[in-house]
């Protein structure tokens, strides 16, 4: 065996926190050779195959760094894969061929020829029975291992197909093309199951998560998108790179995502939270290929024009073994679709509100739960919505649901549909016959239970205390004040921007935004009468999370037909568009250089808060929109300020903002709050919410304006923006 020189690096990046594990990451070995275009670990992790630009495949021992063997091709390989059973190594590339190498007898077994252009990507099904290939000729072909004629050829793509992947069960395939379209085919019945626009520009990489729940795609719009594999809803959008996303890989337990980009960075992140847990130093060029070792104690990367493959050692990254076992059972088709059951029977009631109780059990993660009536979806919940209420019983995940439903006169029949990666189950509910009372008129209050709380509230002796928020704000509950089921609140505190974006340091964060949001959240529960189930509380919210929360409020206001009262609070970065001067709220994964696609326009937010004639909407925004910020700012190095465009306020909306014009919204470091929010909460604590909107407006304008000079030696004057439609009446509005 030829010994390949191995370079050891002493570059250690220290201990990084991955969930509950301390993980040490360092550049472990570097294997000399030509530039690699694709990488693949063998199923046992003992071999690493590199598709080498110089028309060959090189296979290396991952422990010793020795070259085990290589074989020549007629063109540059672009994709390489081991079969899951470890018997074959399959490659494809610019020669428009697919080469199948037999690892047991060390020979090229056969070559597949059918594509008319470069074969850009291949994958092999979990049972090592089929190969799928994608090509610049806009086709996707399915082959049976051992046969040289394709079983099926799909020609639905409108652009060249750059990436293709099998579902963990092997029942479907996905592909992404140069037009940004993502395709999904059912290969058991040979038809196109889904086709939708996933990216603006090329899709470079697609994959199913090993647990089958999600479809992931990366493209030239710098995004890694996550879709439900069942109904293709956008679940998450990761904005962790500053240039094209070229490649990514997913850990075997579906917890971690390793990605490489044209920005030159290799990034390891937690899929569920979007939090970056490791970022490499900037490489000399863009990342061409990455792959996880099966046991995840290593991952490999290749860089454009670099004559070496880097292997990175992840010393203590323990995978979730339960997740791996479920994925293995899924692959072997040992898991069934969920079961649905009801605890109630057919009944007759004179009460217009009915609480539907049901139970969903699944051997793996529940993907979605729908409640329908007459074909219309009333509720839709994903795993993220229900995961905190899941119990595990005898190898099953069990969710017990309870939904308040508004009955129609006569017979009511609902359907509960539950899905997982295997399939779906639909079951009709018991029949509920509503007999409307003749003599008694009742006022029915519709309670919306779908909004779930994301933070726990600590209560003791009728008090709710804010812990570790600087000033010890303590809000005493008013026991005489009932909660108002028509009141809803969305509270957002975006502080840790650097944890979600490459190229940002901690100085770009918004100090004390978590404290600010926590204080307002606690006050809303204690004194605004907002029921806990009507609160949405987000810390370090990404773009997709903020958009979903706003849309949830829109759905609530539509359902309540003018009876909803909405409170919105935001602490974090704001930024204006340089050309239009339109102000935007910036999610933690949002870019001030790409506002249209990664931030929320303030005009859009205001419109959504009142689109369904909300009874009253009140917004508090502790952010500035001039380009300045509490500390150095998201783009402080640009050294300019913009006077943002004034926003149109309509209907029953009133907005309290932390500053005016091109002023910055400053911190109150001694109190560990934003200056505006500190005095807002101080007045709310003093009055317990017994204050009119006009009194609060006058107090904030004067107090913050004066204190800003005294504390920060800068001008900061809050503004109150009022819709012309409520002129003459808003002054007497009160918060209770």
């Amino acid at each position: 065996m030829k010994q390949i020189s191995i370079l050891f690096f002493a570059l250690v990046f220290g201990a990084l926190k991955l969930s509950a594990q301390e993980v040490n990451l360092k550049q472990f070995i570097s294997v000399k050779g030509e530039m690699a275009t694709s990488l693949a670990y063998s199923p046992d992790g003992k071999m690493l195959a590199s598709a080498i630009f110089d028309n060959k495949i090189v296979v290396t021992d991952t422990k010793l760094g020795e070259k085990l063997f290589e074989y020549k091709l007629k063109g540059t390989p672009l994709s390489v894969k081991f079969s899951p059973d470890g018997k074959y190594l399959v490659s494809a590339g610019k020669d428009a061929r697919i080469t199948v190498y037999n690892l047991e007898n060390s020979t090229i077994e056969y070559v597949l020829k059918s594509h008319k252009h470069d074969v850009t990507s291949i994958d092999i099904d979990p049972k090592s029975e089929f190969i799928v290939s994608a090509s610049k000729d806009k086709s996707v072909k399915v082959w049976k291992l051992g046969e040289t004629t394709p079983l099926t050829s799909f020609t639905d793509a409108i652009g060249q197909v750059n990436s293709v992947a099998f579902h963990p069960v092997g029942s479907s395939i996905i592909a992404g093309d140069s037009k940004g379209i993502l395709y999904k085919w059912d290969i058991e019945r040979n038809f196109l199951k889904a086709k939708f626009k996933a990216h603006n520009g090329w899709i470079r990489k697609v994959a199913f998560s090993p647990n089958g729940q999600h479809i992931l795609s990366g493209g030239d719009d710098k995004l890694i998108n996550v879709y439900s594999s069942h109904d293709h809803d956008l679940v998450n959008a990761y904005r962790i790179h500053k240039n094209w996303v070229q490649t990514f890989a997913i850990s075997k337990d579906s917890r971690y995502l390793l990605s490489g980009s044209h920005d030159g960075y290799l990034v390891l992140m937690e899929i569920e939270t979007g939090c970056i847990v490791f970022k490499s130093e900037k490489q000399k060029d863009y990342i061409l290929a990455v792959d996880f070792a099966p046991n995840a104690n290593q991952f490999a990367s290749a860089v454009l024009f670099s004559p070496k493959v880097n292997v990175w050692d992840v010393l203590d990254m323990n995978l979730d073994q339960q997740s791996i076992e479920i994925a293995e059972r899924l692959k072997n088709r040992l898991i069934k679709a969920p079961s649905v059951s009801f605890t109630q029977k057919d009944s007759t009631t004179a009460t217009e509100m009915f609480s539907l109780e049901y139970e969903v059990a699944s051997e793996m993660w529940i993907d979605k739960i729908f409640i329908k009536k007459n074909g219309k979806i009333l509720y839709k919940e994903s795993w993220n919505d229900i995961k905190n209420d899941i119990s595990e019983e005898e190898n099953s995940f069990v969710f017990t649901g309870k939904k308040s439903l508004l009955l129609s006169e006569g017979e009511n029949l609902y359907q509960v549909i539950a899905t997982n990666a295997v399939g779906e189950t639909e079951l009709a509910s018991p029949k509920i016959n509503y007999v409307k009372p003749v003599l008694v008129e009742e006022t029915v209050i519709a309670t919306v239970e779908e909004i779930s709380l994301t933070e726990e509230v600590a209560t003791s002796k009728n008090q709710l205390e804010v812990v570790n928020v600087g000033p010890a704000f303590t809000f005493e509950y008013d026991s005489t004040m009932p909660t108002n089921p028509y009141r809803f609140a969305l509270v957002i505190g975006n502080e840790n921007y650097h944890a979600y974006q490459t190229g940002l340091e901690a100085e770009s964060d918004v100090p004390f935004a978590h404290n600010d949001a926590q204080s307002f959240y606690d006050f809303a529960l204690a004194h605004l009468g907002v029921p806990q189930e009507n609160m949405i509380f987000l810390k370090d919210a990404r773009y997709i999370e903020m958009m979903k929360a706003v849309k949830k409020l829109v759905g609530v206001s539509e359902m309540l037909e003018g009876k909803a009262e909405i409170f919105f609070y935001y602490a974090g970065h704001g930024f204006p568009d340089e050309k239009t001067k339109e102000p935007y709220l910036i999610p933690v994964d949002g870019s001030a250089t790409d506002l249209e696609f990664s931030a929320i326009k303030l005009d859009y937010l205001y419109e959504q808060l009142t689109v369904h004639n909300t009874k009253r909407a009140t917004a508090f925004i502790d952010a500035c929109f001039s380009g300045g910020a509490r500390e150095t700012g998201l783009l402080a190095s640009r050294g300019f300020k913009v006077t943002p465009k004034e926003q149109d306020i309509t209907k029953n909306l009133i907005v309290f903002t932390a500053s005016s014009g091109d002023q910055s919204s400053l911190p109150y470091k001694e109190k560990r709050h934003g200056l505006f929010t500190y005095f807002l909460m101080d007045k709310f604590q003093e009055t317990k919410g017994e204050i009119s909107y006009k009194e609060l407006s006058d107090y904030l304008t004067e107090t913050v304006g004066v204190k800003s000079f005294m504390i920060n030696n800068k001008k900061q004057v809050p503004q109150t923006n009022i819709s012309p439609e409520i002129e003459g009446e808003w002054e007497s509005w009160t918060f209770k």
Side-chain angles (χ1 to χ4, degrees):
M1 255 180 295
K2 181 179 178 181
Q3 176 73 39
I4 298 179
S5 60
I6 301 174
L7 303 178
F8 286 85
F9 288 80
L11 182 60
V12 180
F13 292 89
L16 298 174
K17 194 76 171 176
L18 280 180
S19 298
Q21 300 295 324
E22 291 289 338
V23 176
N24 294 300
L25 294 170
K26 66 179 181 179
Q27 196 166 356
F28 183 54
I29 61 174
S30 182
V31 183
K32 283 189 175 180
E34 293 82 5
M35 181 177 73
T37 59
S38 179
L39 300 170
Y41 277 96
S42 61
D44 59 9
K46 294 180 179 180
M47 295 184 288
L48 176 64
S50 304
I52 301 300
F53 190 79
D54 189 22
N55 301 354
K56 62 184 176 183
I57 301 294
V58 174
V59 178
T60 307
D61 184 303
T62 56
K63 185 176 182 180
L64 302 176
E66 296 178 346
K67 184 173 74 172
L68 297 174
F69 63 89
E70 67 176 49
Y71 61 88
K72 292 282 188 178
L73 302 168
K74 293 186 178 295
T76 298
L78 300 175
S79 184
V80 63
K81 287 280 184 180
F82 284 93
S83 62
D85 62 9
K87 294 180 180 180
Y88 298 98
L89 181 60
V90 182
S91 61
K94 286 184 171 293
D95 57 3
R97 301 178 176 196
I98 302 165
T99 302
V100 180
Y101 185 90
N102 190 316
L103 293 168
E104 294 180 336
N105 57 28
S106 302
T107 59
I108 293 177
E109 187 143 314
Y110 53 89
V111 176
L112 305 176
K113 304 175 186 178
S114 179
H115 286 290
K116 298 177 181 178
H117 212 311
D118 300 3
V119 180
T120 54
S121 176
I122 54 171
D123 198 13
I124 304 170
D125 81 301
K127 291 193 173 183
S128 302
E129 295 177 348
F130 302 99
I131 299 170
V132 62
S133 58
S135 172
K136 281 187 177 181
D137 65 12
K138 303 181 182 180
S139 72
V140 171
K141 298 180 186 292
V142 179
W143 314 72
K144 185 172 178 61
L145 260 169
E147 298 180 3
T148 56
T149 303
L151 293 174
T152 306
S153 184
F154 297 109
T155 57
D156 305 279
I158 60 174
Q160 69 180 54
V161 188
N162 303 309
S163 183
V164 69
F166 268 106
H167 186 277
V169 173
S171 57
S172 60
I173 55 175
I174 52 172
D177 73 8
S178 58
K179 303 295 184 181
I181 307 298
L182 198 150
Y183 306 86
K184 182 180 179 182
W185 291 278
D186 183 318
I187 62 170
E188 294 179 340
R189 291 176 286 179
N190 289 336
F191 76 98
L192 181 65
K193 198 170 184 178
K195 172 184 174 181
F196 57 93
K197 183 77 170 177
H199 292 267
N200 293 312
W202 286 40
I203 296 176
R204 301 281 175 175
K205 175 72 175 180
V206 297
F208 282 99
S209 59
N211 61 20
Q213 276 190 293
H214 298 126
I215 295 169
L216 289 86
S217 61
D220 287 3
D221 55 5
K222 312 170 193 175
L223 293 176
I224 298 173
N225 289 337
V226 182
Y227 298 92
S228 163
S229 62
H230 173 73
D231 58 9
H232 317 119
D233 277 355
L234 181 64
V235 177
N236 277 309
Y238 302 125
R239 302 168 187 272
I240 57 177
H241 289 289
K242 302 298 183 184
N243 210 326
W244 301 350
V245 176
Q246 178 69 26
T247 184
F248 61 78
I250 307 166
S251 64
K252 199 172 181 179
D253 63 351
S254 301
R255 291 172 66 193
Y256 301 108
L257 180 79
L258 175 68
S259 60
S261 165
H262 285 226
D263 63 10
Y265 287 102
L266 184 70
V267 177
L268 182 66
M269 62 168 281
E270 293 180 335
I271 290 181
E272 183 174 346
T273 65
C275 187
I276 296 171
V277 293
F278 166 71
K279 181 182 72 174
S280 71
E281 289 189 338
K282 189 176 178 67
Q283 305 297 292
K284 292 182 179 180
D285 216 304
Y286 68 76
I287 312 296
L288 272 176
V290 297
D291 197 25
F292 266 113
N295 58 7
N297 62 3
Q298 290 182 353
F299 55 77
S301 65
V303 177
L304 182 68
F305 301 130
S306 175
K308 56 188 179 182
V309 172
N310 293 327
V311 178
W312 306 75
D313 190 20
V314 190
L315 297 179
D316 301 316
M317 187 167 128
N318 294 329
L319 297 184
D320 180 18
Q321 292 304 314
Q322 181 190 33
S323 298
I324 294 174
E325 290 169 8
I326 290 174
E328 191 67 23
R329 293 181 64 221
L330 175 67
K331 182 178 74 173
N332 293 316
R333 302 196 177 197
L334 299 176
I335 291 179
K336 299 177 182 179
S339 64
V340 179
S341 60
F342 296 96
T343 60
Q344 298 144 312
K345 298 181 180 180
D346 293 354
S347 61
T348 298
T349 180
T351 304
E352 194 173 6
M353 290 299 295
F354 174 73
S355 184
L356 181 68
E357 299 175 3
Y358 58 93
E359 183 177 279
V360 176
S362 174
E363 297 170 89
M364 65 177 301
W365 304 276
I366 300 165
D367 184 36
K368 293 281 177 66
I369 296 176
F370 303 87
I371 297 179
K372 289 184 177 181
K373 183 180 181 182
N374 299 326
K376 181 181 179 181
I377 296 176
L378 303 179
Y379 292 94
K380 179 170 70 172
E381 295 178 307
S382 68
W383 173 260
N384 285 337
D385 296 323
I386 65 174
K387 63 184 179 182
N388 293 330
D389 299 315
I390 293 286
S391 61
E392 294 188 37
E393 303 173 10
E394 297 181 359
N395 299 321
S396 287
F397 295 93
V398 179
F399 173 71
T400 301
K402 185 177 181 181
K403 286 288 178 285
S404 294
L405 303 170
L406 191 63
L407 299 175
S408 302
E409 192 169 359
E411 188 177 279
N412 293 264
L413 189 64
Y414 299 90
Q415 294 81 38
V416 173
I417 303 167
T419 72
N420 61 17
V422 177
E424 69 176 46
T425 299
E426 178 175 337
L427 188 66
S429 72
K431 296 176 183 177
I432 310 300
N433 186 38
Y434 170 53
V435 180
K436 188 175 182 179
V438 178
L439 299 177
V440 181
E441 292 187 3
E442 294 183 352
T443 301
V444 179
I445 296 177
T447 302
V448 181
E449 295 187 352
E450 64 181 303
I451 297 182
S452 60
L453 188 64
T454 60
E455 297 286 330
E456 291 188 357
V457 183
T459 59
S460 175
K461 297 182 180 179
N462 287 333
Q463 288 189 337
L464 186 149
E465 294 188 0
V466 182
V467 182
N468 296 325
V469 294
F473 289 125
T474 301
F475 300 104
E476 295 184 3
Y477 283 110
D478 183 349
S479 59
T480 65
M481 178 184 169
T483 58
N484 184 340
Y486 295 127
R487 283 194 164 187
F488 300 84
L490 169 56
V491 181
I492 302 172
N494 285 347
E495 180 170 323
N496 296 318
Y497 285 78
H498 81 282
Y500 295 84
Q501 299 190 46
T502 58
L504 288 183
E505 302 299 332
E507 289 78 10
S508 297
D509 291 343
V510 179
F512 321 128
H514 287 176
N515 295 345
D516 293 341
Q518 184 73 57
S519 297
F520 189 88
Y521 169 81
D522 291 341
F523 168 74
L525 284 173
H527 294 300
L528 290 182
V530 182
Q532 183 171 318
E533 63 268 21
N534 290 5
M535 295 286 295
I536 306 174
F537 186 22
L538 303 175
K539 286 184 178 180
D540 294 336
R542 289 174 285 114
Y543 175 79
I544 188 71
E545 293 174 316
M546 289 177 66
M547 288 297 289
K548 282 185 174 181
V550 171
K551 289 178 180 178
K552 187 170 283 191
L553 286 184
V554 172
V556 166
S557 61
E558 181 182 17
M559 184 183 298
L560 294 180
E561 299 178 342
K563 291 181 283 188
E565 294 183 50
I566 294 175
F567 294 93
F568 176 84
Y569 176 88
Y570 175 82
H573 276 303
F575 209 79
D577 184 282
E578 289 182 50
K579 294 180 180 179
T580 66
K581 299 185 180 180
E582 290 280 357
Y584 287 78
L585 300 181
I586 310 296
V588 291
D589 61 349
S591 169
T593 60
D594 194 19
L595 293 171
E596 184 179 357
F597 301 106
S598 67
I600 296 178
K601 187 186 290 188
L602 212 53
D603 258 352
Y604 169 81
L605 172 69
Y606 293 164
E607 178 187 351
Q608 296 305 302
L609 291 178
T610 58
V611 67
H612 292 295
N613 297 315
T614 309
K615 182 179 180 181
R616 184 184 300 176
T618 308
F620 298 89
I621 298 180
D622 196 345
C624 64
F625 300 95
S626 62
R630 290 188 183 179
E631 293 287 3
T632 60
L634 196 59
L635 289 179
S637 60
R638 296 168 69 171
F640 72 91
K641 284 191 175 184
V642 176
T643 301
K645 178 182 175 182
E646 290 190 9
Q647 303 304 291
D648 293 328
I649 308 294
T650 61
K651 300 182 180 178
N652 293 334
L653 174 63
I654 184 167
V655 181
F656 295 86
T657 61
S659 57
S660 308
D662 64 356
Q663 299 167 4
S664 295
S665 298
L666 302 166
Y668 193 171
K669 294 181 180 179
E670 182 182 346
K671 302 297 185 181
R672 299 183 60 79
H673 270 286
L675 186 71
F676 169 78
T677 296
Y678 174 78
F679 288 105
L680 171 70
M681 300 314 303
D682 190 51
K683 178 56 70 172
F684 275 152
Q685 183 183 50
E686 175 192 332
T687 63
K688 298 181 181 179
E690 295 282 1
I691 185 172
S692 72
Y693 278 57
K694 181 65 164 61
E695 290 169 337
L696 180 64
S697 175
D698 291 344
Y699 167 79
L700 291 173
T701 300
E702 179 178 319
T703 304
V704 176
V706 171
K707 293 294 185 181
S708 179
F709 278 112
M710 298 299 294
I711 296 167
N712 294 309
N713 199 29
K714 291 183 180 179
K715 187 176 183 179
Q716 178 184 338
V717 181
Q719 272 191 325
T720 305
N721 301 316
I722 307 109
S723 164
E725 299 174 38
I726 55 174
E727 287 283 359
E729 61 177 281
W730 73 274
E731 293 92 340
S732 60
W733 287 1
T734 60
F735 287 92
K736 281 210 171 180

